[in-house]
Amino acid sequence: MKIAVVGAGAMGCLYGGLLSDVGNQVFLVDVWQEHVDVINQKGLSISGVSGDRRITSIRATTSAMDVGICDLVIVFVKSTATRLAVQHAQPLIGADTLVLTLQNGLGNAEAISESVGEDKVIAGVTAHGSTLLGPGAIRHAGQGPTVIGPLVPRQDNRLEKICTAFQQAGLETIVDDNVMGLIWGKLMANIGINALTAITGLQNGELLQYAETEELLEKAVQEAREVARVKGITVKEEDPVAYVKSVCRKTAENRSSMLQDITRGSRTEIDVINGAIVAEGLRLGVETPVNRVLTLLVRTIEKKPLAG
Ligand code: NAD
């Protein structure tokens, strides 16, 4: 299968690398020139839970024009860059191309659909975790299932083919048609964990060691669940608060991606996570005071110059 990954950071390199390692023709497309050069010269280094390896079969580029039309395009930029990245990815997309997003937050599938058409978009969630170590190197931090589904009912078996290609690469993958339920389910974990860890500097598991952060986690998730209910979204997890707490325990020593972004001085995904709940709540007449405070605090920290 000919595959392009748009946004070859921690997650893009993980999926791209593993898919390339089993014989797919994979191209990484990223704006980071040094990263692209190191991958082309020395290969992509993956260490961590799936074993240590250097993948030299993979190609990287800053221009989608170099790649041409692909069977599958995987979008793995941060949600803040989705719209722009997909506009620049047009040379990758032909009549039979499918575009997959496994990004966190709300609105990615919709933003991609605006550029390529809803019928080409598949979306889902991933339980894998990955960390960028530097140019050309990532650490596979944790693994779990990938669940994907179409935005509109599908007429062919292209999704099953993608599923098979992912399985062959060691990425456990299943198809589920309730895409929005999947995205909102994962969103609950990001709602409960990311902003709170970014503001407090706590690791995921530590959120449950303080009554104050535990209460805020519960309230933020309950607000999001109410927004989902009013919107008519059936979230997979019956008890989202219990689910988010179980994620905190399973990933107890992780520093969330939003905490990492804040520490690096990078822009976070707050607007498509807690901020999206506030916006949807406003639209639907659901009160979301805790998510609003969390959003405003993270936006303030984003604007503040880094200490030192
Ligand atoms: P990252 O910051 O490591 O990688 C993003 C990459 O996109 C960078 O290499 C950057 O140079 C590139 N980029 C930025 N603008 C671009 C553009 N216009 N065109 C092409 N490339 C561009 O991010 P990540 O951690 O891999 O996360 C990607 C998405 O996956 C996010 O939505 C995140 O929430 C989600 N996610 C991350 C993890 C994780 O463990 N890292 C797990 C699950 C989901």
Coordinates of all heavy atoms in Angstrom, one line a residue, residues 204-288:
N204 N -0.1 12.0 35.3 CA -1.5 11.6 35.2 C -2.0 11.0 36.5 O -3.1 11.3 37.0 CB -1.7 10.6 34.0 CG -1.4 11.3 32.7 OD1 -1.1 12.5 32.6 ND2 -1.5 10.5 31.6
G205 N -1.3 10.1 37.0 CA -1.7 9.3 38.2 C -1.9 10.2 39.4 O -2.7 10.0 40.3
E206 N -1.0 11.3 39.5 CA -1.0 12.1 40.7 C -2.3 13.0 40.8 O -2.7 13.5 41.8 CB 0.2 13.1 40.6 CG 1.5 12.4 40.8 CD 2.7 13.3 40.6 OE1 2.7 14.2 39.7 OE2 3.7 13.1 41.3
L207 N -3.1 13.1 39.6 CA -4.3 13.8 39.7 C -5.3 13.2 40.7 O -6.2 13.9 41.3 CB -5.0 13.9 38.3 CG -4.3 14.7 37.2 CD1 -5.1 14.6 35.9 CD2 -4.2 16.2 37.6
L208 N -5.2 11.9 40.9 CA -6.1 11.2 41.9 C -5.5 11.2 43.3 O -6.2 10.8 44.2 CB -6.3 9.8 41.4 CG -6.8 9.6 40.0 CD1 -7.0 8.1 39.7 CD2 -8.1 10.4 39.8
Q209 N -4.4 11.8 43.5 CA -3.8 11.8 44.9 C -4.2 13.1 45.6 O -4.0 13.2 46.8 CB -2.3 11.8 44.8 CG -1.8 10.4 44.4 CD -0.2 10.4 44.2 OE1 0.5 11.3 44.7 NE2 0.2 9.4 43.5
Y210 N -4.8 14.0 44.9 CA -5.3 15.2 45.6 C -6.8 15.4 45.4 O -7.3 15.3 44.3 CB -4.6 16.5 45.0 CG -3.1 16.4 45.1 CD1 -2.3 15.8 44.1 CD2 -2.5 16.9 46.2 CE1 -1.0 15.7 44.2 CE2 -1.1 16.9 46.3 CZ -0.3 16.3 45.3 OH 1.0 16.2 45.5
A211 N -7.5 15.6 46.5 CA -9.0 15.7 46.4 C -9.4 16.8 45.5 O -10.4 16.7 44.8 CB -9.6 15.9 47.8
E212 N -8.6 17.9 45.4 CA -8.9 19.1 44.6 C -8.9 18.7 43.1 O -9.8 19.1 42.4 CB -8.0 20.2 44.9 CG -8.1 20.8 46.4 CD -7.3 20.0 47.4 OE1 -6.7 18.9 47.1 OE2 -7.3 20.4 48.6
T213 N -7.8 18.1 42.7 CA -7.7 17.8 41.3 C -8.7 16.7 40.9 O -9.2 16.7 39.8 CB -6.2 17.4 40.9 OG1 -5.7 16.5 41.8 CG2 -5.4 18.7 40.7
E214 N -8.9 15.8 41.8 CA -9.9 14.7 41.5 C -11.3 15.3 41.3 O -12.0 14.9 40.4 CB -9.9 13.7 42.6 CG -10.7 12.5 42.3 CD -10.6 11.3 43.3 OE1 -10.0 11.5 44.3 OE2 -11.1 10.2 43.0
E215 N -11.6 16.3 42.1 CA -13.0 16.9 42.0 C -13.0 17.6 40.7 O -14.1 17.6 40.0 CB -13.2 17.8 43.2 CG -14.6 18.5 43.1 CD -14.8 19.5 44.3 OE1 -14.2 19.3 45.4 OE2 -15.6 20.4 44.1
L216 N -12.0 18.4 40.3 CA -12.0 19.1 39.1 C -12.1 18.2 37.9 O -12.8 18.4 36.9 CB -10.8 20.0 39.0 CG -10.8 21.3 39.9 CD1 -9.4 21.9 39.9 CD2 -11.8 22.3 39.4
L217 N -11.3 17.1 37.9 CA -11.4 16.1 36.9 C -12.8 15.6 36.7 O -13.4 15.5 35.6 CB -10.4 14.9 37.2 CG -10.3 13.7 36.3 CD1 -9.0 13.0 36.4 CD2 -11.4 12.7 36.5
E218 N -13.5 15.2 37.8 CA -14.8 14.7 37.8 C -15.8 15.7 37.1 O -16.6 15.4 36.2 CB -15.3 14.3 39.2 CG -14.7 13.1 39.8 CD -14.9 12.9 41.3 OE1 -15.7 13.8 41.8 OE2 -14.4 12.0 41.8
K219 N -15.7 17.0 37.6 CA -16.6 18.0 37.1 C -16.4 18.3 35.6 O -17.4 18.4 34.9 CB -16.4 19.3 37.9 CG -16.8 19.1 39.4 CD -17.7 20.2 39.9 CE -18.5 19.8 41.1 NZ -17.9 20.0 42.4
A220 N -15.1 18.4 35.2 CA -14.8 18.6 33.8 C -15.4 17.5 32.9 O -16.0 17.8 31.8 CB -13.3 18.8 33.6
V221 N -15.3 16.3 33.3 CA -15.8 15.2 32.5 C -17.3 15.1 32.5 O -17.9 14.9 31.5 CB -15.1 13.8 33.0 CG1 -15.7 12.6 32.3 CG2 -13.6 13.8 32.8
Q222 N -17.9 15.4 33.7 CA -19.4 15.4 33.8 C -19.9 16.5 32.8 O -20.9 16.2 32.2 CB -19.8 15.6 35.2 CG -19.7 14.4 36.1 CD -19.7 14.7 37.6 OE1 -19.6 15.8 38.0 NE2 -19.6 13.6 38.3
E223 N -19.3 17.6 32.8 CA -19.8 18.7 31.9 C -19.7 18.2 30.4 O -20.6 18.4 29.6 CB -18.9 19.9 32.0 CG -19.2 20.7 33.3 CD -18.2 21.9 33.4 OE1 -17.5 22.2 32.5 OE2 -18.2 22.5 34.5
A224 N -18.6 17.6 30.1 CA -18.4 17.1 28.7 C -19.4 16.0 28.4 O -20.0 16.0 27.3 CB -17.0 16.6 28.5
R225 N -19.7 15.2 29.3 CA -20.7 14.1 29.1 C -22.1 14.7 28.8 O -22.8 14.2 28.0 CB -20.7 13.2 30.3 CG -21.5 12.0 30.0 CD -21.9 11.2 31.2 NE -22.5 9.9 30.6 CZ -22.9 8.9 31.4 NH1 -22.8 9.0 32.7 NH2 -23.3 7.9 30.8
E226 N -22.4 15.8 29.6 CA -23.7 16.4 29.4 C -23.8 17.0 28.0 O -24.8 17.0 27.3 CB -23.9 17.4 30.5 CG -25.3 18.1 30.5 CD -26.5 17.2 30.5 OE1 -26.3 16.0 30.8 OE2 -27.6 17.7 30.2
V227 N -22.7 17.7 27.6 CA -22.7 18.3 26.2 C -22.9 17.2 25.2 O -23.7 17.3 24.3 CB -21.3 19.0 26.0 CG1 -21.2 19.4 24.5 CG2 -21.3 20.3 26.9
A228 N -22.2 16.0 25.4 CA -22.3 14.9 24.4 C -23.8 14.4 24.4 O -24.3 14.2 23.3 CB -21.4 13.8 24.8
R229 N -24.4 14.3 25.6 CA -25.7 13.8 25.7 C -26.7 14.7 24.9 O -27.5 14.3 24.1 CB -26.2 13.7 27.2 CG -27.5 12.9 27.4 CD -27.9 13.0 28.8 NE -28.3 14.4 29.2 CZ -29.4 15.0 28.8 NH1 -30.3 14.4 28.0 NH2 -29.7 16.2 29.1
V230 N -26.6 16.0 25.2 CA -27.5 17.0 24.5 C -27.2 17.0 23.0 O -28.2 17.1 22.2 CB -27.3 18.4 25.1 CG1 -28.1 19.4 24.4 CG2 -27.7 18.4 26.6
K231 N -26.0 16.8 22.6 CA -25.7 16.7 21.2 C -26.1 15.4 20.5 O -26.1 15.3 19.3 CB -24.1 16.9 21.1 CG -23.6 17.4 19.8 CD -22.1 17.6 19.9 CE -21.4 17.6 18.5 NZ -21.8 18.6 17.6
G232 N -26.5 14.5 21.3 CA -27.0 13.2 20.8 C -25.9 12.2 20.4 O -26.0 11.3 19.6
I233 N -24.7 12.4 21.1 CA -23.6 11.5 20.8 C -23.6 10.3 21.9 O -23.7 10.6 23.1 CB -22.2 12.2 21.0 CG1 -22.1 13.5 20.2 CG2 -21.0 11.3 20.8 CD1 -21.6 13.3 18.8
T234 N -23.5 9.1 21.4 CA -23.5 8.0 22.3 C -22.0 7.6 22.6 O -21.3 7.1 21.7 CB -24.2 6.7 21.7 OG1 -25.5 7.2 21.2 CG2 -24.3 5.6 22.7
V235 N -21.6 8.0 23.8 CA -20.2 7.8 24.1 C -20.1 6.3 24.5 O -20.9 5.8 25.2 CB -19.8 8.7 25.3 CG1 -18.3 8.4 25.7 CG2 -19.9 10.2 24.9
K236 N -19.0 5.7 24.1 CA -18.8 4.2 24.3 C -18.8 3.9 25.8 O -19.4 2.9 26.2 CB -17.4 3.8 23.7 CG -17.5 3.6 22.2 CD -17.1 2.2 21.8 CE -17.6 1.8 20.5 NZ -19.0 1.6 20.3
E237 N -18.0 4.7 26.6 CA -17.9 4.4 28.0 C -19.1 4.7 28.8 O -19.6 5.9 28.7 CB -16.7 5.1 28.6 CG -15.3 4.6 28.0 CD -15.1 5.0 26.6 OE1 -15.7 6.0 26.1 OE2 -14.2 4.3 26.0
E238 N -19.7 3.8 29.5 CA -21.0 4.0 30.2 C -20.7 5.0 31.3 O -21.6 5.9 31.6 CB -21.5 2.7 30.8 CG -22.5 2.1 29.9 CD -23.1 0.8 30.4 OE1 -23.2 0.7 31.6 OE2 -23.4 0.0 29.5
D239 N -19.6 4.9 32.0 CA -19.3 5.8 33.1 C -18.0 6.5 32.8 O -16.9 6.1 33.2 CB -19.1 5.0 34.4 CG -18.9 5.9 35.6 OD1 -18.5 7.1 35.4 OD2 -19.0 5.4 36.8
P240 N -18.0 7.7 32.1 CA -16.8 8.3 31.6 C -15.9 8.7 32.8 O -14.7 8.7 32.6 CB -17.3 9.5 30.9 CG -18.7 9.2 30.5 CD -19.2 8.3 31.5
V241 N -16.4 9.1 33.9 CA -15.6 9.5 35.0 C -14.7 8.4 35.5 O -13.5 8.5 35.7 CB -16.4 10.1 36.2 CG1 -15.5 10.4 37.4 CG2 -17.0 11.5 35.8
A242 N -15.4 7.2 35.7 CA -14.6 6.0 36.1 C -13.6 5.6 35.0 O -12.5 5.2 35.3 CB -15.6 4.8 36.3
Y243 N -14.0 5.8 33.8 CA -13.1 5.5 32.7 C -11.8 6.4 32.7 O -10.7 5.9 32.6 CB -13.8 5.6 31.3 CG -12.9 5.8 30.1 CD1 -12.0 4.8 29.7 CD2 -12.9 7.0 29.4 CE1 -11.2 5.0 28.6 CE2 -12.1 7.2 28.4 CZ -11.2 6.2 27.9 OH -10.4 6.5 26.9
V244 N -12.1 7.7 32.9 CA -10.9 8.6 32.9 C -10.0 8.3 34.1 O -8.8 8.3 34.0 CB -11.4 10.1 32.9 CG1 -10.2 11.0 33.0 CG2 -12.2 10.4 31.6
K245 N -10.6 8.0 35.2 CA -9.8 7.6 36.4 C -9.0 6.4 36.1 O -7.8 6.3 36.5 CB -10.6 7.5 37.6 CG -11.2 8.8 38.1 CD -11.9 8.6 39.5 CE -12.5 9.9 39.9 NZ -13.2 9.8 41.2
S246 N -9.6 5.4 35.4 CA -8.8 4.2 35.1 C -7.6 4.5 34.1 O -6.6 4.0 34.3 CB -9.7 3.1 34.5 OG -10.0 3.4 33.1
V247 N -7.8 5.5 33.2 CA -6.7 5.9 32.3 C -5.6 6.6 33.2 O -4.4 6.3 33.0 CB -7.2 6.9 31.2 CG1 -6.1 7.5 30.4 CG2 -8.3 6.2 30.3
C248 N -6.0 7.4 34.2 CA -5.0 8.0 35.1 C -4.2 6.9 35.7 O -2.9 7.1 35.8 CB -5.7 8.8 36.2 SG -6.4 10.4 35.6
R249 N -4.8 5.9 36.2 CA -4.1 4.8 36.9 C -3.2 4.1 35.9 O -2.0 3.8 36.2 CB -5.1 3.8 37.6 CG -5.7 4.5 38.8 CD -6.6 3.5 39.6 NE -7.6 4.3 40.3 CZ -8.8 4.5 40.0 NH1 -9.3 3.9 38.9 NH2 -9.6 5.2 40.7
K250 N -3.7 3.8 34.7 CA -2.9 3.0 33.7 C -1.7 3.8 33.2 O -0.7 3.2 32.9 CB -3.8 2.6 32.5 CG -4.5 1.3 32.7 CD -5.2 0.9 31.4 CE -6.5 0.3 31.7 NZ -7.6 0.6 30.7
T251 N -1.9 5.1 33.2 CA -0.8 5.9 32.6 C -0.2 6.8 33.7 O 0.2 7.9 33.5 CB -1.3 6.8 31.5 OG1 -2.4 7.7 32.0 CG2 -1.9 6.0 30.3
A252 N -0.2 6.2 35.0 CA 0.1 7.0 36.2 C 1.4 7.9 36.0 O 1.4 9.0 36.5 CB 0.2 6.1 37.4
E253 N 2.4 7.3 35.4 CA 3.7 8.1 35.4 C 3.9 9.0 34.2 O 4.9 9.6 34.0 CB 4.9 7.1 35.5 CG 4.9 6.6 37.0 CD 5.9 5.5 37.2 OE1 6.8 5.4 36.4 OE2 5.7 4.8 38.2
N254 N 2.9 9.0 33.3 CA 3.0 9.8 32.1 C 2.8 11.3 32.4 O 2.0 11.7 33.2 CB 1.8 9.4 31.1 CG 2.1 8.2 30.3 OD1 2.9 7.4 30.8 ND2 1.4 7.9 29.2
R255 N 3.6 12.1 31.6 CA 3.3 13.5 31.6 C 2.5 13.7 30.3 O 2.9 13.4 29.2 CB 4.7 14.2 31.5 CG 5.5 14.3 32.8 CD 6.9 14.6 32.6 NE 7.1 15.8 31.7 CZ 7.1 17.0 32.1 NH1 6.9 17.3 33.4 NH2 7.3 18.0 31.3
S256 N 1.3 14.3 30.5 CA 0.4 14.4 29.3 C 1.0 15.2 28.2 O 1.9 16.0 28.5 CB -0.9 15.0 29.8 OG -0.8 16.4 29.9
S257 N 0.5 15.1 27.0 CA 1.0 15.8 25.9 C 0.9 17.3 26.1 O 1.7 18.1 25.7 CB 0.4 15.4 24.6 OG -1.0 15.6 24.6
M258 N -0.2 17.7 26.8 CA -0.4 19.1 27.0 C 0.6 19.7 28.0 O 1.1 20.8 27.8 CB -1.9 19.4 27.5 CG -2.3 20.9 27.2 SD -4.0 21.2 27.6 CE -4.9 20.5 26.3
L259 N 0.9 18.9 29.0 CA 2.0 19.3 29.9 C 3.3 19.4 29.2 O 4.1 20.3 29.4 CB 2.0 18.3 31.1 CG 3.2 18.4 32.1 CD1 3.2 19.9 32.7 CD2 3.1 17.4 33.2
Q260 N 3.6 18.4 28.3 CA 4.8 18.5 27.5 C 4.9 19.7 26.7 O 5.9 20.4 26.6 CB 5.0 17.2 26.7 CG 5.2 16.0 27.5 CD 5.4 14.8 26.6 OE1 6.2 14.8 25.6 NE2 4.8 13.7 27.0
D261 N 3.7 20.0 26.0 CA 3.7 21.2 25.2 C 4.0 22.5 26.0 O 4.7 23.4 25.6 CB 2.3 21.4 24.5 CG 2.1 20.4 23.4 OD1 3.1 19.9 22.9 OD2 0.9 20.1 23.1
I262 N 3.3 22.6 27.1 CA 3.5 23.8 28.0 C 5.0 23.9 28.4 O 5.5 25.0 28.4 CB 2.6 23.7 29.2 CG1 1.1 23.9 28.8 CG2 3.0 24.6 30.4 CD1 0.8 25.3 28.5
T263 N 5.6 22.8 28.8 CA 6.9 22.8 29.3 C 7.9 23.2 28.2 O 8.9 24.0 28.4 CB 7.4 21.3 29.7 OG1 6.3 20.8 30.6 CG2 8.7 21.3 30.5
R264 N 7.6 22.8 26.9 CA 8.4 23.2 25.7 C 8.1 24.6 25.2 O 8.8 25.1 24.4 CB 8.1 22.3 24.5 CG 8.8 21.0 24.5 CD 8.8 20.4 23.1 NE 7.4 20.1 22.7 CZ 6.8 19.0 22.8 NH1 7.4 17.9 23.2 NH2 5.5 18.9 22.3
G265 N 7.0 25.2 25.7 CA 6.6 26.5 25.2 C 5.9 26.4 23.9 O 5.8 27.4 23.1
S266 N 5.3 25.2 23.6 CA 4.6 25.0 22.3 C 3.1 25.3 22.5 O 2.6 25.2 23.7 CB 4.7 23.6 21.8 OG 6.0 23.2 21.7
R267 N 2.4 25.6 21.4 CA 1.0 25.8 21.5 C 0.3 24.5 21.9 O 0.7 23.4 21.4 CB 0.5 26.3 20.2 CG -0.8 27.1 20.3 CD -1.2 27.7 19.0 NE -2.6 27.8 19.0 CZ -3.3 27.9 17.9 NH1 -2.7 28.1 16.7 NH2 -4.7 28.0 17.9
T268 N -0.7 24.5 22.7 CA -1.4 23.2 23.1 C -2.6 23.0 22.2 O -3.0 23.9 21.4 CB -1.9 23.3 24.5 OG1 -3.0 24.2 24.6 CG2 -0.7 23.8 25.5
E269 N -3.3 21.9 22.4 CA -4.5 21.6 21.7 C -5.8 21.9 22.6 O -6.9 21.4 22.4 CB -4.6 20.1 21.4 CG -3.5 19.7 20.4 CD -3.6 18.2 19.9 OE1 -3.5 17.3 20.8 OE2 -3.7 18.0 18.7
I270 N -5.6 22.9 23.5 CA -6.7 23.2 24.5 C -8.0 23.6 23.7 O -9.1 23.2 24.2 CB -6.3 24.4 25.4 CG1 -7.3 24.6 26.5 CG2 -6.0 25.7 24.7 CD1 -7.3 23.5 27.6
D271 N -7.9 24.3 22.6 CA -9.1 24.8 21.9 C -9.9 23.7 21.3 O -11.1 23.9 21.1 CB -8.7 25.8 20.8 CG -8.3 27.1 21.4 OD1 -8.6 27.4 22.6 OD2 -7.6 27.9 20.7
V272 N -9.3 22.5 21.0 CA -10.1 21.4 20.4 C -10.4 20.4 21.5 O -11.0 19.3 21.2 CB -9.4 20.7 19.3 CG1 -9.2 21.6 18.1 CG2 -8.0 20.1 19.7
I273 N -10.0 20.6 22.8 CA -10.3 19.7 23.9 C -11.3 20.4 24.8 O -12.5 20.6 24.5 CB -9.0 19.2 24.5 CG1 -8.2 18.4 23.4 CG2 -9.3 18.2 25.7 CD1 -6.9 17.9 23.8
N274 N -10.8 21.0 25.9 CA -11.7 21.6 26.9 C -12.4 22.8 26.2 O -13.6 23.1 26.4 CB -10.9 22.1 28.1 CG -10.2 21.0 28.8 OD1 -9.2 20.5 28.3 ND2 -10.7 20.4 29.9
G275 N -11.7 23.6 25.4 CA -12.2 24.7 24.7 C -13.4 24.4 23.8 O -14.3 25.1 23.6
A276 N -13.3 23.2 23.2 CA -14.3 22.7 22.3 C -15.6 22.4 23.1 O -16.7 22.6 22.6 CB -13.9 21.5 21.5
I277 N -15.4 21.9 24.3 CA -16.6 21.6 25.1 C -17.3 22.9 25.5 O -18.5 23.0 25.5 CB -16.2 20.8 26.4 CG1 -15.7 19.4 26.0 CG2 -17.3 20.8 27.4 CD1 -16.8 18.6 25.3
V278 N -16.5 23.9 25.8 CA -17.1 25.3 26.1 C -17.9 25.8 24.9 O -19.0 26.2 25.1 CB -16.0 26.2 26.5 CG1 -16.5 27.6 26.8 CG2 -15.2 25.7 27.8
A279 N -17.3 25.7 23.8 CA -17.9 26.2 22.6 C -19.2 25.5 22.3 O -20.3 26.1 22.0 CB -17.0 26.2 21.4
E280 N -19.1 24.1 22.3 CA -20.3 23.3 22.1 C -21.4 23.6 23.1 O -22.6 23.6 22.9 CB -20.0 21.8 22.1 CG -19.3 21.4 20.8 CD -20.2 21.3 19.6 OE1 -21.1 20.5 19.6 OE2 -20.1 22.2 18.7
G281 N -21.0 23.7 24.4 CA -21.9 24.0 25.5 C -22.6 25.3 25.3 O -23.8 25.4 25.5
L282 N -21.9 26.3 24.8 CA -22.5 27.6 24.5 C -23.6 27.5 23.4 O -24.7 28.0 23.5 CB -21.5 28.6 24.0 CG -20.8 29.5 25.1 CD1 -19.7 30.3 24.4 CD2 -21.8 30.4 25.7
R283 N -23.2 26.7 22.4 CA -24.2 26.5 21.3 C -25.4 25.8 21.7 O -26.5 26.1 21.3 CB -23.4 25.7 20.2 CG -23.8 26.0 18.8 CD -22.9 25.3 17.8 NE -22.8 23.8 18.0 CZ -23.7 22.9 17.7 NH1 -24.8 23.3 17.1 NH2 -23.5 21.6 17.9
L284 N -25.2 24.8 22.6 CA -26.3 23.9 23.0 C -27.0 24.3 24.3 O -28.0 23.7 24.7 CB -25.8 22.5 23.2 CG -25.2 21.8 21.9 CD1 -24.4 20.6 22.3 CD2 -26.3 21.6 20.9
G285 N -26.6 25.4 24.9 CA -27.2 25.8 26.2 C -26.8 25.0 27.4 O -27.6 24.8 28.3
V286 N -25.6 24.4 27.4 CA -25.2 23.6 28.5 C -24.1 24.3 29.2 O -23.1 24.8 28.6 CB -24.6 22.2 28.0 CG1 -24.1 21.4 29.2 CG2 -25.6 21.4 27.2
E287 N -24.2 24.5 30.6 CA -23.2 25.2 31.4 C -21.9 24.4 31.5 O -22.0 23.2 31.8 CB -23.7 25.4 32.8 CG -25.0 26.3 32.9 CD -24.7 27.8 32.8 OE1 -23.6 28.2 33.4 OE2 -25.4 28.5 32.2
T288 N -20.8 25.0 31.2 CA -19.5 24.3 31.3 C -18.4 25.2 32.1 O -17.4 25.4 31.6 CB -19.0 24.0 29.9 OG1 -18.8 25.2 29.2 CG2 -19.9 23.1 29.1

